[in-house]
Amino acid sequence: MGSWNKSKIEDDIIKSGYADSLNNIRYEKANIYNSQGYYEVYTKIDGKECRIVSVNAKTGEYHG
């Protein structure tokens, strides 16, 4: 993964209530848009894996 702050994103995800622990957060390489790569971030909600956010691999900016 890029030079972005992975732990800050994970802290935000947990504080926002989107995931209950680090153990339930998973990253998957996604597509390239405008010459920049992205990761999709997933967690389990009610036993099903759901996408939470997309992370720009270069800048660390995320949305979802």
Side-chain angles (χ1 to χ4, degrees):
M1 293 184 201
S3 61
W4 43 276
N5 191 339
K6 179 180 167 186
S7 62
K8 181 194 179 312
I9 294 170
E10 293 169 343
D11 288 345
D12 287 350
I13 288 170
I14 292 170
K15 285 178 185 175
S16 298
Y18 295 117
D20 57 4
S21 75
L22 291 175
N23 295 334
N24 290 332
I25 296 174
R26 182 178 71 82
Y27 293 82
E28 183 177 298
K29 284 186 180 181
N31 296 322
I32 296 175
Y33 299 105
N34 295 326
S35 300
Q36 296 187 30
Y38 285 82
Y39 284 91
E40 299 291 347
V41 183
Y42 294 87
T43 192
K44 287 189 178 181
I45 299 174
D46 295 330
K48 293 183 180 179
E49 192 168 74
C50 300
R51 185 185 70 81
I52 306 170
V53 295
S54 296
V55 180
N56 181 308
K58 183 177 180 180
T59 66
E61 292 179 7
Y62 62 97
H63 61 86

